Amino acid sequence: MTDYSKYSFWLETCGENLTPRATLERSTEVDVAILGAGFTGLWTAYYLLRTNPRFKVAVLEKEIVGYGASGRNGGWCSSKFPVTPAMLDHRYGSERARALMLAMKGAVDEVCRVCQQEGIEAHFHKGGVLTLARGEHHLSSLRSTFAAYDRLGLSGWVRMLTAQQVAERIRVTNVHGGLFALENASLHPGCLVRGIARAIERRGGVIYENTAVTHFEGGDSPRLMTPAGEVRAKAAIVLAGESYLTRLPTLHRAVLPVYSLIALTEPLSEAQWSQIGWQNRESLASFNNTVDYLTRTFDGRILFGSRGAPYRLGSKISDDQDRHSETHARIENLTCEWFPILKNTKFTHAWGGPVGMPRDWMPMTHFDPRSKVATARGYTGQGVSTANLTARVLTGLILGNHTSISELPIVQRRSPLWELEPLRWLAVRYMQNAFFRIDEAGRQGKRKPMDAFVAEFLGRH
Ligand SMILES: Cc1cc2nc3c(=O)[nH]c(=O)nc-3n(C[C@H](O)[C@H](O)[C@H](O)COP(=O)(O)OP(=O)(O)OC[C@H]3O[C@@H](n4cnc5c(N)ncnc54)[C@H](O)[C@@H]3O)c2cc1C
C-alpha cells in the first residue's frame, strides 16, 4: 500500500493515518460529480452542499485527499494573485483589477472563517507577506509593485520598508528594502485540505479515493468514467485536477505542469530564532524570477521553496520528479545564504509537486450549461486562496446564482492552449534557463544577460 505520508511534511503531520477511503465500486448517479480532491474540487463540493443541502455530491480522487499540490504547497494563503496587479490593471482596467484583488483578500478571510465555523485547526496565521529586495537590482521591482497597488487605490495594503525596518522584523543577508503586504496568511495545508474533506462528509457528500477518472463526457447526462463504473450527474461534472488534467488527452495542452520544490529544516532552537527574528511569522519572498517562497512553520522550522526543476518533454508528471537533487541542493544552499547561522542545521524533508501554469498566467473558471462541464484551474503556485474563490464562482455558475464575484475577470474564460511539442519544451527550457541567468547576474552584481529583455517580455504576468 502506498505510504502517502512521504509526499510532504504536511501530509505526514496532518494528524490522520491517511488510509484511503473506499473506492467507487459501481456506477451511480448524483447531482454533481467532481474529479479531484484538492482545494478546487473540495471547496466546490463544500459550497454546493452548503448552498443546497439536498444536493448529492460525489468527489472522485485518483489517490487520496490532498495528494496533489494542495497537500504539498508552501502554506501561503495569500491575497497575491498569479497575475500581478500591474498586469491586471493593463489587461482589465483598474476597476475590474481592483475588484479581483478585493475578492482575493476576501478569499483569505473566508478560508479563516470556514476553519473557525467547521472546527478545522489549520494553524491559520495572518502574518502578512514580506517581499525582500535582495540586492539593488530588486529595488525597481519593489517600487513598481508598490506603484501598481497605489494605482488601484490599494496602497493601504502595502508598506515599503527600508533595509533597517526589514532588519527589525527579520535578519536576512543582502537586504536593500522590502514590501510588506498585510492581507496574507500562512497555514498548514494538510490540515486544511483534510479538514474540508471531513466537513463535506458531515454534510452528506461522498469522497471516493483510489478512484481514477479515465474519461469524461458532457451532455444532458454528463459523466465521469472510471474502470469500476461511471458517475452520471444531473447538474454538472467538475474537472478539478489542476496540472494533472494534462493527462486527459483532450486537456493535454490546457496548462503546463511546472515543478516547485521545497526543502524544510529541522525545528530551530530559541537561540537561533532570537538571532533571526521573524517573530510575526510573515510569509517571505524576494523579487527573483526563479521564485523563492519561505514560511516559518507552526512548529518552528524554515520552509524554503523555489522553482528550477527542469520541465520534462510532453508535460510529464511523475513521482520521481518530486525530488531533484540539484534543485534541492540549490534550495538548501540558498537557505544558508539567506540565514548564514543555519550552516550546520539539518534539512529533514525535501519534496515537490507540479503547479498548473496557463498560457496567459490567468486562472480560469468555466461552466458550459449545454455540456454541463465545469472547471477551474491554472493557479501557477498561488492556488491555496484562489481555489476558494474559484470554487465559490463555480458554485454560483452551476446553481445559476449571480453574485458580485460572477463578474470577475476569471469567470467564463479560457486560456489559450500551450504549443505543441517539442516547441513547448524548447521555449519552457529556454525561459527556465534565462530566468536563472538573470537572477544569477543580479546576485553577482553583474549586468543582465543580453537576451534578458526577451525572457522578461515573454514572462510578463
Ligand atoms: C511545491 C508547491 C508549493 C506551492 N506553494 C503554494 C503556496 O505557498 N501558496 C499557494 O497559494 N499555492 C501554492 N502552490 C499551488 C497550490 O498548492 C495549488 O494551486 C492548489 O493546491 C491547486 O489545488 P487543486 O485542487 O486545483 O489541485 P491539486 O491539489 O493538484 O488537486 C488535484 C487532485 O486531482 C486528482 N486527480 C488528478 N487527475 C485525476 C483523475 N484522472 N482522476 C481522479 N483524480 C484525479 C489529483 O490526484 C489531485 O489530488 C504550491 C504548489 C506546489 C506543488
Side-chain angles (χ1 to χ4, degrees):
M1 205 161 79
T2 310
D3 174 9
Y4 286 106
S5 68
K6 74 175 193 298
Y7 284 95
S8 75
F9 169 74
W10 305 122
L11 287 177
E12 183 188 308
T13 57
C14 71
E16 291 189 35
N17 76 10
L18 306 180
T19 304
R21 293 167 165 85
T23 60
L24 179 80
E25 286 180 349
R26 63 188 68 85
S27 295
T28 182
E29 188 177 63
V30 294
D31 292 299
V32 177
I34 299 175
L35 175 160
F39 288 132
T40 305
L42 295 175
W43 280 125
T44 307
Y46 176 78
Y47 288 110
L48 283 167
L49 289 163
R50 210 169 84 167
T51 317
N52 194 340
R54 284 207 298 260
F55 246 43
K56 281 177 78 176
V57 177
V59 182
L60 279 61
E61 166 55 50
K62 183 170 179 287
E63 305 286 344
I64 60 161
V65 165
Y67 165 85
S70 301
R72 308 180 186 206
N73 56 69
W76 286 42
C77 178
S78 157
S79 63
K80 276 180 85 171
F81 189 71
V83 178
T84 60
M87 186 53 89
L88 288 174
D89 189 7
H90 173 72
R91 285 188 190 165
Y92 305 106
S94 56
E95 209 171 301
R96 298 191 77 205
R98 183 183 152 85
L100 185 51
M101 299 295 291
L102 289 169
M104 287 298 297
K105 171 188 176 312
V108 176
D109 296 339
E110 170 67 5
V111 171
C112 178
R113 204 159 32 236
V114 178
C115 285
Q116 285 166 358
Q117 285 165 356
E118 300 291 345
I120 301 172
E121 177 42 285
H123 301 280
F124 187 97
H125 171 76
K126 198 164 178 183
V129 166
L130 181 54
T131 310
L132 302 177
R134 289 195 75 241
E136 273 192 36
H137 63 295
H138 283 167
L139 285 173
S140 60
S141 303
L142 192 161
R143 290 188 200 105
S144 62
T145 307
F146 180 83
Y149 276 94
D150 194 27
R151 279 197 302 279
L152 298 182
L154 299 174
S155 58
W157 287 15
V158 280
R159 200 141 55 88
M160 289 219 269
L161 304 181
T162 62
Q164 177 58 36
Q165 287 168 323
V166 171
E168 283 160 17
R169 291 169 178 261
I170 184 164
R171 261 77 72 195
V172 174
T173 54
N174 198 24
V175 169
H176 288 241
L179 190 71
F180 176 68
L182 177 63
E183 302 301 340
N184 298 279
S186 62
L187 49 70
H188 187 309
C191 292
L192 178 61
V193 75
R194 308 282 306 178
I196 307 166
R198 288 195 303 276
I200 290 167
E201 289 170 327
R202 282 198 297 274
R203 288 164 191 269
V206 180
I207 301 171
Y208 299 102
E209 293 185 326
N210 284 347
T211 300
V213 174
T214 49
H215 297 87
F216 69 92
E217 214 172 82
D220 267 353
S221 181
R223 54 209 177 117
L224 298 178
M225 282 96 104
T226 79
E230 61 185 31
V231 183
R232 287 179 303 281
K234 291 182 199 150
I237 57 171
V238 180
L239 307 176
E242 179 67 340
S243 51
Y244 303 91
L245 288 176
T246 54
R247 289 169 163 173
L248 297 173
T250 50
L251 293 170
H252 180 63
R253 288 160 60 204
V255 287
L256 186 89
V258 175
Y259 269 76
S260 197
L261 302 189
I262 287 174
L264 185 76
T265 69
E266 62 187 335
L268 305 191
S269 66
E270 279 309 315
Q272 285 171 313
W273 281 122
S274 66
Q275 287 189 61
I276 291 173
W278 207 351
Q279 294 304 314
N280 297 329
R281 288 183 51 209
E282 299 91 341
S283 301
L284 202 63
S286 81
F287 288 97
N288 272 334
N289 294 292
T290 40
V291 181
D292 12 57
Y293 52 95
L294 293 82
T295 300
R296 176 175 170 170
T297 63
F298 68 101
D299 64 343
R301 301 160 185 264
I302 293 182
L303 175 155
F304 200 124
S306 184
R307 305 258 173 86
Y311 166 77
R312 300 274 185 86
L313 188 71
S315 291
K316 190 172 171 224
I317 297 177
S318 60
D319 280 0
D320 66 12
Q321 286 163 270
D322 293 351
R323 290 180 182 80
H324 184 251
S325 48
E326 207 179 298
T327 310
H328 273 121
R330 187 176 67 80
I331 296 174
E332 291 186 11
N333 287 338
L334 276 175
T335 314
C336 298
E337 186 196 302
W338 284 47
F339 306 101
I341 63 156
L342 298 186
K343 68 175 186 298
N344 295 321
T345 301
K346 280 204 203 77
F347 288 83
T348 55
H349 296 71
W351 73 91
V355 305
M357 182 185 281
R359 182 69 175 75
D360 57 3
W361 295 79
M362 187 70 182
M364 59 167 282
T365 56
H366 193 267
F367 175 57
D368 175 359
R370 281 179 17 180
S371 68
K372 298 186 184 171
V373 178
T375 189
R377 58 177 183 253
Y379 311 111
T380 317
Q382 304 278 355
V384 173
S385 47
T386 316
N388 175 276
L389 176 61
T390 60
R392 284 181 283 128
V393 168
L394 277 190
T395 302
L397 292 172
I398 293 167
L399 299 178
N401 296 340
H402 194 93
T403 64
S404 59
I405 56 174
S406 322
E407 297 296 325
L408 294 173
I410 50 173
V411 183
Q412 294 298 54
R413 68 175 304 279
R414 290 175 203 264
S415 297
L417 295 181
W418 281 91
E419 282 72 7
L420 290 167
E421 294 288 22
L423 195 59
R424 184 160 79 228
W425 180 83
L426 282 168
V428 177
R429 290 297 295 130
Y430 165 73
M431 292 294 288
Q432 288 187 309
N433 178 278
F435 280 156
F436 184 78
R437 285 185 289 113
I438 295 170
D439 286 350
E440 202 46 32
R443 202 174 67 88
Q444 294 175 16
K446 293 184 182 159
R447 287 164 68 100
K448 282 184 188 178
M450 298 270 280
D451 60 340
F453 73 98
V454 180
E456 284 172 347
F457 178 77
L458 293 174
R460 279 181 324 155
H461 64 283

